[in-house]
Amino acid sequence: MAIDTVYTISSKAAGGGRDGEVVSATGQIDLALQPPKEMGGSGEGSNPEELFSAGYAACFLGALRATSKQAGTPVSDDSTVTVTIGIGKDPEDGGFGLTAAIEAYIPGVDQAKAQELAEGAHAFCPYSKATRGNIAQTVTATV
């Protein structure tokens, strides 16, 4: 797939990966990382799944706004997207895998239209494209 890149950003992880730090090239992100308590860590820092869920939620909401406007049903400013990322053992290879549950709150339309708009955003969102077929995903809409 050829991409006409208009923006790039890099971040550097140091220390122990999940037990270290991550800093973006701009310095806007400068975080201590700690595994969550559920994975044996202290839970006192951020973690890759938290960062991924934040980026995915913001990107998906942008995709929802763009695709709904193109479809002639712009979403209200009260619309939100919550992305819940899970991590666990992958029984196929013994490693780890991710899950993503995407919940779009789209007030002002009926349930069927909300789900249609959420599915349209899922088809358009770069994070969804990047993970499609690679992690288990669900997309639900509420009104």
Side-chain angles (χ1 to χ4, degrees):
M1 170 189 323
I3 302 295
D4 184 16
T5 304
V6 296
Y7 172 74
T8 62
I9 185 66
S10 61
S11 296
K12 183 183 288 186
R18 290 182 165 275
D19 193 3
E21 69 176 326
V22 65
V23 179
S24 67
T26 63
Q28 293 295 312
I29 297 173
D30 187 349
L31 298 172
L33 301 176
Q34 292 288 319
K37 289 182 181 181
E38 296 83 354
M39 294 179 70
S42 70
E44 294 178 5
S46 188
N47 60 68
E49 292 72 37
E50 181 176 49
L51 296 169
F52 183 47
S53 72
Y56 201 158
C59 188
F60 197 97
L61 182 56
L64 178 64
R65 291 194 180 288
T67 57
S68 65
K69 185 177 179 183
Q70 288 173 348
T73 310
V75 298
S76 80
D77 288 343
D78 294 330
S79 296
T80 62
V81 172
T82 302
V83 175
T84 303
I85 298 296
I87 185 170
K89 290 279 187 179
D90 183 341
E92 291 185 21
D93 67 10
F96 287 88
L98 298 175
T99 61
I102 303 158
E103 298 176 34
Y105 169 65
I106 309 171
V109 298
D110 65 38
Q111 180 62 42
K113 179 52 102 175
Q115 189 65 38
E116 178 185 322
L117 293 172
E119 295 291 343
H122 188 51
F124 184 78
C125 175
Y127 276 61
S128 293
K129 286 180 183 181
T131 57
R132 188 170 294 117
N134 298 312
I135 67 173
Q137 300 174 325
T138 58
V139 178
T140 56
T142 58
V143 295

